[in-house]
Amino acid sequence: MKFFEEKVQAGEWDEVEKYLSGFTKVDDNRYSMKIFFEIRKQKYLEALDRQDKAKAVEILAGDLKVFSTFNEELYKEITQLLTLNNFRENEQLSKYGDTKTARRVMLVELKKLIEANPFFRDKLAFPTLKSSRLRTLINQSLNWQHQLCKNPRSNPDIKTLFTDHTCTPTSSPLTPTPVNLPGASIAKPLAYTSLGPFPPTAAAATNAGALTGWMANASASSSVQAAVVTASYMPVPQNQVSVLKCPRTLPSVPGMVDYQNPDHEQLMKRLRPASSVDEVTYPTPRKQAWSLEDLPRTVALTMHQGSMVTSMDFHPSHNTLLLVGSANGEITIWELGMRKKLVSKPFKIWEMSACSMPLQALMVSDTTISVSRVTWSPDGSFVGVAFSKHLIHLYAYGGSNDLIQRLEIDAHAGGVNDLAFAHPNKQFCIVTCGDDKIIKVWDSATGKKLFNFEGHDAPIYSICPHHKENIQFIFSTDANGKIKAWLYDNLGSRVDYDAPGHSCTRMLYSADGSRLFFCGTSIDGESFLVEWNESEGAIKRTYVGFRKKTAGVVSFDTAQNHLLAAGEDSQIKFWDMDNINLLTFTDAEGGLPSSPCEFSKEGNLLAVTTADNGIKILANAVGLRSLRTVETSFDPLRTPIASAAIKASGSSSAVANVGPSNFKVERSSPIRPSSVHNGVDPLGRSIEKPRVLDDAIDNTKPWQLAEIVDPGQCQLVTLPDSTDSSSKVVRLLYTNNANGILALGLNGVQKLWKWLRNEQNPSGKATANVVPHHWQPTSGLMTNDVIGVNLEEAVPCIAVSKNDSYVLSATGGKVSLFNLMTFRVMTTFMSPPPASTFLAFHPQDNNIIAIGMEDSTIHIYNVRVAEVKSKLKGHQKRITGLAFSTSLNILVSSGADAHLCVWSIDTWEKRKSVAIQIPAGKAPTGETRVQFHSDQIRMLVVHETQLAIYDASKMERIRQWIPQDVLSAPITYAAYSCNSQYVYATFRDGNIGVFDADNMRLRCRIASSVYLSPVILKGNQAVYPLVVAAHPMEANQFAIGLSDGIVKVMEPSESERKWGVNPPPMDNSAVNGRTTSSSTTSNHTADQLQR
């Protein structure tokens, strides 16, 4: 440590990092990452302190850039310091002292981090060695090296350690005599470099060179890898890259060093992600911080799938969504809280003519097909399905009532046994394996085959894409227990191992990616579950509790970084990861086969299959509460399947076509059955009512529209300093990270409110329970150029970059680009005339901006080079709305001429133009706005006369709602909720409507008496919402900007947790031109619409 301290105090940062790299690397664990981050951050601050901006930029782009992958917001905050003349102008860094003091403070923190880092354990003091220890190590190395030779030499010379070699054959077939260790051989090399989870074996003799060099050669042979791993002369620490099963999450990034003052502490806490550790903790003996009550053992519900379940996967973020694959080829998405099938897709070949001739012939002779594997993509936006014959299917899932077909690939000859998602070279790919003994990698966008890995001698059982440092590779296991590792370079397998048990094996990592486990069953029925020590290449512990003979292959899963569960012997067995003995088991009230089990992400729910083709959901107390919450406050990614899917005949066969869903609510479960409207279940379910009568729902009560007329019926907060009667709020939006709201007034002034992270608001996100802070830097408010502008005629516009760094806005004058951290104007452009009327950032490039103009044109402007790249012409009046779709690769514009235009993002050519259908007697004037659904295909079109849903791929209207009944005033604004389940709409009479986004049925009306005082309601001047904005992460929260300048945030009451209830089945909804009723009365008919 003395040498290290001297180098830190001297500021020799390159030497400091070089020394540290001998012990750990930047992504080994959170402590290592924080150590390297603090060193590089100090180096960066010192460059800024010297006013050496060029060096600071070099450090930012070279040394600190690696951390932007894990925490973009943190990187953004650091980047903003470049814009300050003195970074101490930042109030949280104002007490940063001189360089020497800062180094001393950092050194204290670095010592704590090093002492807490397990990679430095037992390395802070030189060990006491016996004089014979060096000779022992040499003997062990000689034994190890010559053990890999086909014809090992007896009593090998020590010089053979200096170079790679192969012993020449001798006349004697005798095995080598261990040097100085008679009768012993090295079973576990202490200095073996981990190349994966398996030790070398004699069978790997031909790959002896690969055992130490397969990753070292990656950079020379692969277009994907760029790092070089040195030869194995020292132990490589345990890999701690965060991978969840087939990698789903990334490691969290620690925050900054605290400069021992409260102001800096507040900034650092704000910069840290929620999952990071705020303070360094010293390693202590592990204590059991949980009990058996935390295990999901209570049967919450039983669902009937209709066919044997073959694969399951919980959604990565919505824990009550379960994806299921069946033996009949059907895939299903269950909403567990509502106990219903949201989506059911029977197997169907999408395009037979595109399939290979062997598959076409096979389907003629044998039409049966089953699902081998279903899995969500890491972000939950795609579903991958592998089938028992040739095919894989890729669906998009964006919060709609359906899965959208994306790719059908005839992937393998025979069955496709496994499927996973991977991101080699930041390219989203699908990895598959099959009976044809081949692994294939496919481009998820085009279906093009990118790689073809051959080398297995038996059908491949499973795959596990993984990455170590920045080397990406794939582990694969076959039916004979052989395990291979592949780089994305088509140069063949780098290693060849034998799996524990020499059998079908699956690999899973703990949730934080720090521990690796194997589970499988041998041909003889011997099951095993082991933890693997990656740094030593050996079994760390073997868990006990399996039967001597097991039918089928044991399945398992991990949860909460401390639990293991395996299905065997018609039971679910649980282990603590740190204890080899069986913790407990459950039979889940009977009926379990030896079949798949699947934890939810948090481990509070466990899905298991049943012998009668069903699924049981086991839960702990937290899981039970989450199921109850969803039942009473249904708010997943999507809404239930529309009852319109059931044929009008009402026959039982028509219902069966949707997919029967038989439910049983267990006696031990507090879950209540979902309601059946008017005594009719639109999905044809049969429900066994619970024994407790108080829990039953009265299904005979008619559905009523939820009406909120009193402030006590919801949660409401008025943003401070928002009262400005001279300037009404005309534009309103949340920041993308959901911790702030930005309002633009008619006077061109922008106000920002932020919610701070504290005990009242641990998440730091926008909430109606806490009053936010009105953010006012010393540089003043963000104010647009309004010189010479008639504010009454101006059309204000605003947009925020996707990383929340910059704000674009205009109020009839020049467009201003503001730094959102300092409120300073970075640049201005696009001087009128014509004036800018709408702004939108390109979804893939913050430097490209689409600008709608007063003269009806659209300018595609590049901020970096300060020039207009394209000018789009297609409207007759000013532009009032712009929306990009990355899925369709289009820009949709709307204008005051009540027309919609579609433009190609690639060529900026106009593809189509359509007029919105205005109701009879209404003028086609006023603003028309557009917003894409989260599936990037459907689109909300808002006009004062209507709300409409369009299919943007065809530009066809599929739903329409026209103001009527309790909501008859003109519409002022509308927006989708973040998950596109709701549409929030405001009206000129002060009402607010919450609509079901799928069918445009009104589910809740909020009266103006909720948010306006009696004095204002009785006043002469009408006050009403001009704009509404939806929270980007919380679907039931929205904000409104009022005509008197006030901004309010609204949420349902804590008891309700959602806005209204699901409307009854539709009988007069508007589909393709037919309008939808908002209540029990019918709407205008299509004949009344202006053609």
Side-chain angles (χ1 to χ4, degrees):
M1 284 294 290
K2 184 178 180 181
F3 174 80
F4 178 74
E5 292 175 18
E6 290 174 354
K7 294 301 178 183
V8 170
Q9 293 283 19
E12 298 179 24
W13 305 119
D14 292 340
E15 192 66 29
V16 168
E17 285 208 28
K18 181 179 178 182
Y19 186 67
L20 280 173
S21 64
F23 300 92
T24 186
K25 292 181 174 58
V26 66
D27 60 356
D28 279 337
N29 58 30
R30 66 189 183 199
Y31 301 108
S32 299
M33 186 171 288
K34 189 168 184 178
I35 290 170
F36 280 96
F37 174 77
E38 297 304 335
I39 291 170
R40 296 176 185 182
K41 184 198 59 154
Q42 181 63 29
K43 181 179 173 183
Y44 174 68
L45 292 178
E46 290 183 14
L48 290 176
D49 214 16
R50 297 192 305 269
Q51 296 299 313
D52 189 351
K53 292 293 181 71
K55 183 64 175 177
V57 170
E58 178 185 333
I59 296 168
L60 186 68
D63 296 335
L64 290 170
K65 182 66 175 177
V66 63
F67 302 103
S68 67
T69 305
F70 308 109
N71 192 326
E72 187 176 354
E73 183 180 355
L74 177 64
Y75 186 72
K76 175 194 69 177
E77 295 275 2
I78 298 172
T79 303
Q80 298 296 337
L81 298 178
L82 280 171
T83 64
L84 304 177
N85 294 327
N86 185 339
F87 64 80
R88 294 174 181 83
E89 292 177 23
N90 184 305
E91 59 179 314
Q92 282 81 14
L93 292 175
S94 60
K95 296 183 181 180
Y96 176 96
D98 57 66
T99 299
K100 288 187 177 180
T101 302
R103 289 176 183 172
R104 285 199 299 270
V105 171
M106 183 186 67
L107 186 58
V108 172
E109 187 72 10
L110 289 180
K111 285 183 178 179
K112 293 179 181 179
L113 287 166
I114 290 172
E115 290 170 1
N117 194 332
F119 278 67
F120 290 91
R121 204 165 296 160
D122 303 326
K123 296 177 184 176
L124 301 180
F126 197 80
T128 303
L129 299 176
K130 296 180 180 179
S131 57
S132 61
R133 184 58 186 162
L134 179 59
R135 182 61 195 174
T136 301
L137 293 174
I138 293 173
N139 292 341
Q140 290 176 336
S141 299
L142 285 169
N143 288 333
W144 174 255
Q145 179 159 336
H146 289 270
Q147 179 178 301
L148 296 177
C149 296
K150 290 183 178 180
N151 299 284
R153 185 182 306 162
S154 300
N155 299 315
D157 188 87
I158 191 173
K159 293 180 181 180
T160 58
L161 281 176
F162 302 156
T163 58
D164 291 336
H165 75 288
T166 300
C167 291
T168 56
T170 62
S171 58
S172 173
L174 298 176
T175 57
T177 303
V179 181
N180 290 346
L181 294 172
S185 63
I186 305 303
K188 184 169 67 175
L190 297 180
Y192 169 64
T193 298
S194 174
L195 304 172
F198 312 104
T201 63
T206 57
N207 284 337
L211 289 173
T212 57
W214 73 277
M215 291 178 69
N217 296 328
S219 60
S221 59
S222 173
S223 61
V224 177
Q225 282 74 32
V228 176
V229 180
T230 56
S232 55
Y233 59 88
M234 62 178 292
V236 173
Q238 179 180 353
N239 173 37
Q240 300 204 15
V241 176
S242 179
V243 179
L244 177 60
K245 301 179 183 177
C246 295
R248 290 185 177 176
T249 57
L250 293 171
S252 56
V253 179
M256 297 176 169
V257 163
D258 305 325
Y259 282 103
Q260 298 185 352
N261 69 77
D263 294 333
H264 187 82
E265 173 65 16
Q266 288 301 317
L267 173 63
M268 296 308 109
K269 286 186 176 181
R270 184 165 58 85
L271 293 180
R272 294 181 182 118
S275 59
S276 66
V277 178
D278 286 346
E279 301 296 337
V280 177
T281 55
Y282 293 92
T284 57
R286 186 179 187 275
K287 296 181 180 180
Q288 186 171 351
W290 54 277
S291 67
L292 290 178
E293 298 302 318
D294 295 325
L295 298 177
R297 294 184 295 168
T298 301
V299 178
L301 60 147
T302 300
M303 306 175 297
H304 184 63
Q305 179 67 18
S307 178
M308 185 177 70
V309 175
T310 55
S311 181
M312 297 183 291
D313 193 24
F314 276 96
H315 192 279
S317 57
H318 294 263
N319 293 329
T320 57
L321 290 185
L322 180 66
L323 176 64
V324 178
S326 305
N328 63 356
E330 180 185 39
I331 60 170
T332 306
I333 297 178
W334 289 90
E335 170 44 61
L336 302 180
M338 298 294 288
R339 293 178 296 286
K340 67 168 59 177
K341 290 182 179 180
L342 295 182
V343 179
S344 182
K345 289 281 185 182
F347 172 74
K348 177 183 178 182
I349 295 180
W350 301 347
E351 189 174 352
M352 181 63 79
S353 61
C355 297
S356 63
M357 293 306 297
L359 176 58
Q360 293 185 39
L362 186 62
M363 294 307 295
V364 171
S365 59
D366 182 8
T367 59
T368 59
I369 194 166
S370 65
V371 174
S372 305
R373 170 81 161 158
V374 291
T375 185
W376 293 99
S377 64
D379 62 356
S381 61
F382 291 93
V383 166
V385 187
F387 294 98
S388 59
K389 294 176 183 175
H390 290 248
L391 293 176
I392 64 169
H393 283 171
L394 178 68
Y395 293 91
Y397 182 79
S400 63
N401 267 348
D402 200 3
L403 291 171
I404 302 170
Q405 297 177 1
R406 282 300 176 85
L407 288 176
E408 179 178 67
I409 302 175
D410 191 341
H412 294 270
V416 184
N417 297 327
D418 204 0
L419 178 149
F421 293 100
H423 288 82
N425 202 25
K426 298 184 179 180
Q427 183 177 8
F428 185 42
C429 297
I430 307 167
V431 185
T432 62
C433 66
D435 290 340
D436 55 5
K437 310 171 188 177
I438 301 174
I439 300 164
K440 299 180 182 181
V441 182
W442 312 87
D443 186 320
S444 64
T446 64
K448 177 184 177 182
K449 185 170 66 176
L450 302 177
F451 299 99
N452 201 71
F453 302 140
E454 299 185 39
H456 278 283
D457 297 323
I460 302 173
Y461 181 72
S462 67
I463 47 178
C464 182
H466 189 45
H467 64 282
K468 186 173 185 178
E469 295 177 351
N470 61 343
I471 306 296
Q472 303 222 21
F473 52 95
I474 303 169
F475 284 122
S476 60
T477 68
D478 65 27
N480 291 338
K482 287 293 182 182
I483 298 180
K484 297 179 182 290
W486 316 80
L487 296 174
Y488 293 88
D489 57 9
N490 281 328
L491 293 181
S493 171
R494 296 308 205 277
V495 293
D496 188 355
Y497 300 131
D498 283 320
H502 300 272
S503 59
C504 295
T505 302
R506 286 199 183 276
M507 298 168 279
L508 288 181
Y509 282 86
S510 57
D512 60 5
S514 64
R515 304 173 72 172
L516 178 62
F517 302 89
F518 300 154
C519 185
T521 304
S522 68
I523 298 176
D524 298 328
E526 296 287 339
S527 296
F528 60 88
L529 175 60
V530 303
E531 180 180 2
W532 194 259
N533 187 323
E534 291 181 277
S535 62
E536 295 187 7
I539 293 175
K540 184 174 183 178
R541 55 172 58 89
T542 301
Y543 299 90
V544 299
F546 288 109
R547 293 182 59 191
K548 292 297 183 181
K549 296 291 183 180
T550 301
V553 179
V554 169
S555 63
F556 84 120
D557 203 2
T558 66
Q560 298 179 340
N561 294 318
H562 64 76
L563 286 180
L564 294 168
E568 188 236 16
D569 193 22
S570 298
Q571 296 174 335
I572 301 298
K573 300 181 178 181
F574 297 94
W575 289 266
D576 180 345
M577 288 182 179
D578 295 329
N579 191 328
I580 64 171
N581 296 313
L582 184 67
L583 192 61
T584 188
F585 64 89
T586 179
D587 64 358
E589 301 182 4
L592 302 186
S594 298
S595 295
C597 60
E598 178 79 16
F599 271 115
S600 63
K601 185 177 180 182
E602 278 79 19
N604 298 319
L605 300 174
L606 180 68
V608 298
T609 58
T610 64
D612 59 352
N613 300 336
I615 304 167
K616 286 188 178 183
I617 303 300
L618 280 61
N620 58 17
V622 175
L624 291 173
R625 283 197 298 271
S626 69
L627 292 173
R628 283 199 301 271
T629 298
V630 172
E631 180 192 21
T632 59
S633 175
F634 181 41
D635 186 19
L637 285 179
R638 54 163 78 240
T639 55
I641 299 173
S643 59
I646 302 177
K647 296 182 180 179
S649 64
S651 65
S652 60
S653 61
V655 175
N657 289 336
V658 178
S661 310
N662 299 319
F663 294 85
K664 174 186 174 186
V665 179
E666 303 297 325
R667 291 192 299 271
S668 59
S669 170
I671 309 299
R672 301 184 302 178
S674 58
S675 61
V676 181
H677 297 296
N678 301 321
V680 178
D681 186 351
L683 292 181
R685 297 167 297 185
S686 61
I687 301 178
E688 179 182 314
K689 295 185 178 180
R691 302 269 178 137
V692 183
L693 297 179
D694 291 342
D695 284 345
I697 295 178
D698 184 0
N699 294 328
T700 63
K701 293 182 179 180
W703 176 84
Q704 291 183 340
L705 172 69
E707 295 199 315
I708 298 176
V709 297
D710 187 88
Q713 293 178 271
C714 66
Q715 300 178 80
L716 180 71
V717 65
T718 301
L719 304 196
D721 302 322
S722 65
T723 304
D724 186 358
S725 58
S726 64
S727 178
K728 51 191 177 184
V729 178
V730 287
R731 297 292 180 263
L732 189 68
L733 48 82
Y734 283 82
T735 56
N736 293 301
N737 60 15
N739 68 356
I741 286 180
L742 192 63
L744 173 59
L746 189 58
N747 59 0
V749 175
Q750 290 142 103
K751 294 182 179 180
L752 175 65
W753 293 269
K754 284 190 176 183
W755 278 260
L756 302 179
R757 183 174 298 174
N758 50 40
E759 292 182 1
Q760 287 181 297
N761 186 24
S763 70
K765 304 301 182 184
T767 173
N769 294 318
V770 177
V771 178
H773 175 64
H774 184 203
W775 203 256
Q776 291 180 295
T778 55
S779 57
L781 295 173
M782 290 183 287
T783 305
N784 289 137
D785 171 27
V786 293
I787 298 175
V789 175
N790 184 343
L791 294 179
E792 291 300 321
E793 296 180 359
V795 181
C797 48
I798 188 171
V800 175
S801 63
K802 60 185 178 182
N803 59 5
D804 291 330
S805 295
Y806 304 103
V807 174
L808 276 175
S809 65
T811 308
K814 295 179 181 178
V815 177
S816 299
L817 177 64
F818 294 94
N819 182 311
L820 193 52
M821 180 179 180
T822 64
F823 282 21
R824 291 179 177 173
V825 178
M826 308 297 290
T827 185
T828 59
F829 50 91
M830 302 299 288
S831 300
S836 303
T837 57
F838 204 92
L839 300 166
F841 279 95
H842 192 288
Q844 278 119 15
D845 189 347
N846 277 338
N847 294 304
I848 304 298
I849 305 163
I851 307 175
M853 309 299 290
E854 179 71 30
D855 66 354
S856 77
T857 62
I858 302 168
H859 291 189
I860 306 302
Y861 187 82
N862 189 315
V863 178
R864 186 183 297 275
V865 297
E867 68 178 43
V868 176
K869 291 296 186 181
S870 297
K871 184 181 290 188
L872 316 182
K873 298 181 180 180
H875 288 276
Q876 302 302 316
K877 295 183 180 180
R878 73 173 186 272
I879 304 301
T880 58
L882 295 169
F884 284 94
S885 170
T886 53
S887 176
L888 300 176
N889 213 32
I890 59 173
L891 168 68
V892 176
S893 60
S894 60
D897 56 0
H899 275 69
L900 307 174
C901 291
V902 181
W903 313 85
S904 167
I905 292 179
D906 296 326
T907 63
W908 300 114
E909 294 178 352
K910 187 168 73 171
R911 292 184 179 177
K912 197 170 186 179
S913 177
V914 298
I916 66 171
Q917 294 178 327
I918 303 295
K922 303 291 185 180
T925 59
E927 294 190 350
T928 305
R929 299 183 184 88
V930 288
Q931 182 189 0
F932 271 100
H933 188 283
S934 57
D935 65 9
Q936 293 284 288
I937 294 175
R938 284 175 288 176
M939 180 175 65
L940 173 66
V941 178
V942 183
H943 188 264
E944 65 177 20
T945 64
Q946 64 186 281
L947 301 174
I949 305 295
Y950 279 71
D951 180 343
S953 64
K954 305 171 185 176
M955 286 310 291
E956 294 179 354
R957 196 189 68 193
I958 54 180
R959 301 232 180 251
Q960 183 189 48
W961 180 89
I962 297 173
Q964 61 180 291
D965 301 334
V966 293
L967 298 177
S968 58
I971 300 166
T972 59
Y973 212 95
Y976 273 125
S977 62
C978 62
N979 60 2
S980 299
Q981 181 184 345
Y982 305 138
V983 171
Y984 297 116
T986 56
F987 296 81
R988 201 168 294 167
D989 61 0
N991 279 308
I992 302 170
V994 183
F995 295 82
D996 188 292
D998 275 354
N999 52 39
M1000 290 311 299
R1001 301 277 300 204
L1002 180 63
R1003 57 187 294 131
C1004 178
R1005 180 183 75 91
I1006 304 170
S1008 57
S1009 57
V1010 172
Y1011 59 86
L1012 295 179
S1013 67
V1015 175
I1016 295 177
L1017 289 172
K1018 294 177 182 179
N1020 296 327
Q1021 187 174 4
V1023 176
Y1024 57 92
L1026 289 172
V1027 63
V1028 62
H1031 192 290
M1033 297 180 185
E1034 172 51 56
N1036 283 287
Q1037 184 189 132
F1038 63 87
I1040 54 173
L1042 303 180
S1043 56
D1044 63 354
I1046 292 178
V1047 178
K1048 295 178 180 282
V1049 175
M1050 304 180 72
E1051 290 181 280
S1053 64
E1054 291 187 357
S1055 60
E1056 293 295 332
R1057 298 189 180 183
K1058 66 174 182 176
W1059 299 110
V1061 295
N1062 294 329
M1066 296 180 296
D1067 54 2
N1068 54 356
S1069 60
V1071 181
N1072 293 329
R1074 294 179 57 207
T1075 54
T1076 304
S1077 174
S1078 67
S1079 59
T1080 56
T1081 62
S1082 63
N1083 206 336
H1084 303 285
T1085 64
D1087 293 334
Q1088 293 175 292
L1089 297 175
Q1090 181 177 332
R1091 299 296 181 183

